[in-house]
Coordinates of all heavy atoms in Angstrom, one line a residue:
G368 N 63.2 107.6 -108.0 CA 61.8 108.2 -108.3 C 60.8 107.8 -107.3 O 59.7 108.4 -107.3
K369 N 61.1 106.8 -106.4 CA 59.9 106.3 -105.7 C 59.3 107.3 -104.7 O 58.2 107.3 -104.3 CB 60.4 105.1 -104.9 CG 60.5 103.8 -105.8 CD 61.0 102.7 -104.9 CE 61.0 101.4 -105.7 NZ 61.5 100.2 -104.9
V370 N 60.2 108.2 -104.3 CA 59.8 109.3 -103.2 C 58.8 110.2 -103.8 O 58.0 110.9 -103.0 CB 61.0 110.1 -102.8 CG1 62.0 109.2 -102.1 CG2 61.6 110.7 -103.9
H371 N 58.5 110.2 -105.1 CA 57.6 111.2 -105.6 C 56.4 110.6 -106.2 O 55.4 111.4 -106.6 CB 58.3 111.8 -107.0 CG 59.5 112.6 -106.7 ND1 59.7 113.7 -105.9 CD2 60.8 112.3 -107.0 CE1 60.9 114.1 -105.8 NE2 61.6 113.2 -106.6
T372 N 56.1 109.4 -105.7 CA 54.7 108.8 -106.1 C 53.5 109.4 -105.3 O 52.5 109.6 -105.8 CB 54.7 107.3 -105.8 OG1 55.0 107.0 -104.4 CG2 55.7 106.7 -106.7
A373 N 53.9 109.8 -104.1 CA 52.8 110.4 -103.2 C 52.2 111.7 -103.8 O 50.9 111.9 -103.7 CB 53.4 110.6 -101.7
R374 N 53.0 112.5 -104.3 CA 52.4 113.8 -104.9 C 51.4 113.5 -106.0 O 50.3 114.1 -105.9 CB 53.6 114.6 -105.5 CG 53.2 115.8 -106.4 CD 54.4 116.5 -106.8 NE 54.1 117.2 -108.1 CZ 53.6 118.3 -108.4 NH1 52.9 118.9 -107.3 NH2 53.4 118.8 -109.6
I375 N 51.7 112.6 -106.8 CA 50.7 112.4 -108.0 C 49.4 111.6 -107.5 O 48.4 112.0 -107.7 CB 51.3 111.4 -109.1 CG1 52.5 112.4 -109.7 CG2 50.4 111.1 -110.2 CD1 53.3 111.5 -110.7
K376 N 49.6 110.6 -106.6 CA 48.5 109.9 -106.1 C 47.7 110.8 -105.2 O 46.4 110.7 -105.4 CB 49.1 108.7 -105.2 CG 49.8 107.5 -106.0 CD 50.5 106.7 -105.2 CE 49.7 105.7 -104.3 NZ 50.5 104.7 -103.7
N377 N 48.3 111.6 -104.5 CA 47.5 112.6 -103.7 C 46.4 113.4 -104.5 O 45.3 113.7 -104.1 CB 48.3 113.4 -102.7 CG 48.9 112.6 -101.6 OD1 48.4 111.5 -101.3 ND2 49.9 113.0 -100.9
M378 N 47.0 113.9 -105.6 CA 46.3 114.9 -106.6 C 45.1 114.2 -107.1 O 44.0 114.6 -107.2 CB 47.2 115.5 -107.6 CG 48.1 116.5 -107.1 SD 48.9 117.5 -108.5 CE 50.1 116.2 -109.0
I379 N 45.5 112.9 -107.6 CA 44.4 112.1 -108.3 C 43.3 111.7 -107.2 O 42.0 111.9 -107.4 CB 44.9 110.8 -108.8 CG1 45.8 111.2 -109.9 CG2 43.9 109.9 -109.3 CD1 46.6 110.0 -110.6
D380 N 43.6 111.4 -106.0 CA 42.7 111.0 -104.9 C 41.8 112.1 -104.5 O 40.6 111.9 -104.2 CB 43.4 110.3 -103.8 CG 44.0 109.0 -104.0 OD1 43.6 108.4 -105.1 OD2 44.9 108.5 -103.3
H381 N 42.5 113.3 -104.4 CA 41.8 114.5 -104.0 C 40.6 114.9 -105.0 O 39.5 115.2 -104.6 CB 42.7 115.6 -103.9 CG 42.0 117.0 -103.6 ND1 41.5 117.2 -102.3 CD2 41.8 118.0 -104.4 CE1 41.0 118.5 -102.4 NE2 41.2 118.9 -103.6
V403 N 51.7 118.2 -114.1 CA 51.7 116.8 -114.4 C 51.0 116.5 -115.7 O 49.8 116.9 -115.9 CB 51.0 116.0 -113.2 CG1 51.0 114.5 -113.6 CG2 51.8 116.3 -111.8
D422 N 55.6 114.2 -114.4 CA 55.6 115.3 -113.4 C 56.8 116.3 -113.8 O 58.0 116.0 -113.5 CB 55.8 114.8 -111.9 CG 55.6 116.0 -111.0 OD1 55.5 117.1 -111.3 OD2 55.4 115.6 -109.8
T425 N 58.9 117.6 -110.5 CA 59.9 116.8 -109.8 C 60.8 115.9 -110.9 O 61.7 115.4 -110.4 CB 59.3 115.8 -108.9 OG1 58.3 114.8 -109.8 CG2 58.3 116.5 -107.9
A427 N 59.7 113.3 -112.2 CA 59.3 111.8 -112.0 C 58.4 111.4 -113.0 O 57.6 112.2 -113.7 CB 58.6 111.6 -110.6
F429 N 56.0 107.9 -114.1 CA 55.3 106.7 -113.6 C 54.3 106.1 -114.6 O 53.4 106.9 -115.0 CB 54.7 107.0 -112.3 CG 55.7 107.2 -111.1 CD1 55.7 108.6 -110.6 CD2 56.6 106.3 -110.7 CE1 56.5 109.1 -109.7 CE2 57.5 106.7 -109.7 CZ 57.5 108.0 -109.2
A433 N 52.3 101.2 -112.1 CA 53.3 101.3 -111.1 C 53.0 102.0 -109.8 O 53.4 101.8 -108.8 CB 54.5 102.0 -111.6
L434 N 51.9 102.9 -109.9 CA 51.4 103.7 -108.7 C 50.5 102.9 -107.9 O 50.2 103.1 -106.7 CB 50.6 105.0 -109.2 CG 51.6 106.0 -109.8 CD1 50.7 107.2 -110.3 CD2 52.5 106.6 -109.0
Y438 N 45.1 103.2 -110.1 CA 45.6 104.2 -111.0 C 46.0 103.8 -112.4 O 46.5 104.6 -113.3 CB 46.9 104.9 -110.4 CG 46.7 105.4 -109.0 CD1 47.1 104.6 -107.9 CD2 46.1 106.6 -108.8 CE1 46.7 105.0 -106.6 CE2 45.9 107.1 -107.4 CZ 46.2 106.2 -106.4 OH 46.1 106.6 -105.1

Side-chain angles (χ1 to χ4, degrees):
K369 287 182 179 179
V370 296
H371 300 292
T372 57
R374 169 177 147 80
I375 298 174
K376 291 167 73 172
N377 288 341
M378 282 192 287
I379 294 172
D380 292 343
H381 175 73
V403 177
D422 191 342
T425 64
F429 297 105
L434 294 175
Y438 304 94

